[in-house]
Amino acid sequence: MMRTRPLKVALLGCGVVGSEVARIMTTHADDLAARIGAPVELAGVAVRRPSKVREGIDPALITTDATALVKRGDIDVVIEVIGGIEPARTLITTAFEHGASVVSANKALLAEDGAALHAAAEEQGRDLYYEAAVAGAIPLVRPLRESLAGDKVNRVLGIVNGTTNFILDRMDTSGAGYSEALDEATALGYAEADPTADVEGFDAAAKAAILAGIAFHTRVRIGDVHREGITEVTAADIASARRMGCTVKLLAICERAADGQSVTARVHPAMIPLSHPLASVREAYNAVFVEAEAAGQLMFYGPGAGGSPTASAVLGDLVAVCRNKLNEATGPGESAYTRLPVSPMGEVVTRYHISLDVADKPGVLAQVATVFAEQGVSIDTVRQQGRNPSTGDDAAIEQGGGGRRAGGEASLVVVTHRALDAALSATVEALRELDTVRGVASIMRVEGE
């Protein structure tokens, strides 16, 4: 039987996501009630600009006093979609103290202070759900937290930022440069006016911290995540990846060490083989590849941002939290029992693709190879390209160990075997010291093989 008294919901924020949440709650009210077992009622909407017209929302529900709204005492669930650290953190903990569970899409806050929020929720006997914080509409948090709870996840590899994926996809498919692709992403609404959080990897790093914490049952904060953005990716990098049968993606990579005693979390651009499932993820879509001991390889794919997709994830959490309320229960909280340390980037085992501008003369390749050997890094392949001094054009020479083109400069491309990132980084620094190396044009990791 359905309970007649509605569950009251407070909405903090009414932007792109919040307004879509309110719309779906109104238009799908009967369906939501049937799924939950009780009607849900939008009891208040906290905003910064009350004068703005919000279609479909009763103006009487609008307030600028978010604190008073979450303190009312009759609110069952608070939906937080305002983002940022404060006042969101204080509002969430206040909601717990006054009897409400919380659904949040706030990746930055959860990556920074998720442990404290989980502790506050547990202390008050409340729920904290945040499916929408990681990959929009893609069901990912709940499968990791619940469906795979009996399995051992060893690796999570994903494209979790649509803006950067769109930019890199355009650079790959149309030959556009970074700036041109960014301009197109901005014009289409994929990139914000200030795209720093996306293109410098901050957004993906926050999501990586959340995913690593859930997957490995340990606490990972955004400060534990190694982060590099895509602003230095060039058309030459894209072309070089294509020659290797690869494409370039900004990846969030969370791994359990081979001995199981530590974890790593990192975000950086990388070349991945075209045969890998993530290579085919185009436009602004997201996808996450999960490797578990019993389940094997799983892939989750879909739109990772936008009002409707994110609202879908928020409403899914709302249904779950409301059901828990009716049953006087709470869902799974933080599972950080392993307390594994997060290893630094230098302890990651990976491969490098290194492009060097070198003097085009005999002996250069031997000097470069010696540096790699001294650092204990094995070379997989070498490609040397002579550069025509009059035009600046590259002419590739494929001769196994490399070749030379008389006159002018040359570009030497080296792809390594797997080695510690610290050793690879030390190799690059040693290469910079060679008189015959005029510059390190680009460095990119190779993943997904």
Side-chain angles (χ1 to χ4, degrees), residues 236-276:
D237 293 326
I238 301 293
S240 192
R242 193 179 297 116
R243 283 192 290 269
M244 289 175 57
C246 294
T247 189
V248 177
K249 299 292 186 182
L250 181 73
L251 298 179
I253 306 173
C254 311
E255 293 177 303
R256 188 191 302 269
D259 62 6
Q261 299 305 303
S262 64
V263 300
T264 58
R266 50 194 168 108
V267 167
H268 54 72
M271 297 179 180
I272 60 172
L274 294 175
S275 58
H276 195 282

Side-chain angles (χ1 to χ4, degrees), residues 147-153 215 217 256 291-296 298 337:
S147 303
L148 295 174
D151 206 341
K152 181 181 180 182
V153 175
H217 307 284
R256 188 191 302 269
E291 299 174 13
E293 278 196 0
L298 307 170
Y337 64 87

Side-chain angles (χ1 to χ4, degrees), residues 119-137:
E122 184 177 357
E123 181 181 356
Q124 300 294 333
R126 315 299 176 207
D127 272 326
L128 174 62
Y129 276 50
Y130 43 89
E131 184 69 66
V134 176

Side-chain angles (χ1 to χ4, degrees), residues 166-168 170-172 174-185 230-231 233-236 238:
F166 179 89
I167 292 170
L168 293 172
R170 277 293 184 269
M171 292 176 69
D172 186 28
S174 71
Y178 168 77
S179 296
E180 183 182 354
L182 173 59
D183 289 343
E184 184 179 356
I230 67 166
T231 56
V233 177
T234 66
I238 301 293

Side-chain angles (χ1 to χ4, degrees), residues 152-211:
K152 181 181 180 182
V153 175
N154 290 317
R155 195 167 194 242
V156 179
L157 174 75
I159 298 166
V160 294
N161 182 272
T163 300
T164 52
N165 199 58
F166 179 89
I167 292 170
L168 293 172
D169 184 47
R170 277 293 184 269
M171 292 176 69
D172 186 28
T173 57
S174 71
Y178 168 77
S179 296
E180 183 182 354
L182 173 59
D183 289 343
E184 184 179 356
T186 303
L188 292 172
Y190 292 129
E192 301 286 346
D194 179 1
T196 302
D198 293 322
V199 300
E200 294 292 355
F202 290 101
D203 175 85
K207 295 170 181 176
I210 295 170
L211 289 175

Side-chain angles (χ1 to χ4, degrees), residues 381-395:
T381 62
V382 177
R383 185 177 70 253
Q384 185 167 324
Q385 297 177 155
R387 184 169 295 129
N388 188 317
S390 61
T391 66
D393 293 337
D394 287 337

Side-chain angles (χ1 to χ4, degrees), residues 44-55:
V45 182
V47 299
R48 286 184 298 176
R49 296 186 295 275
S51 59
K52 181 180 178 180
V53 176
R54 294 172 172 84
E55 186 177 349

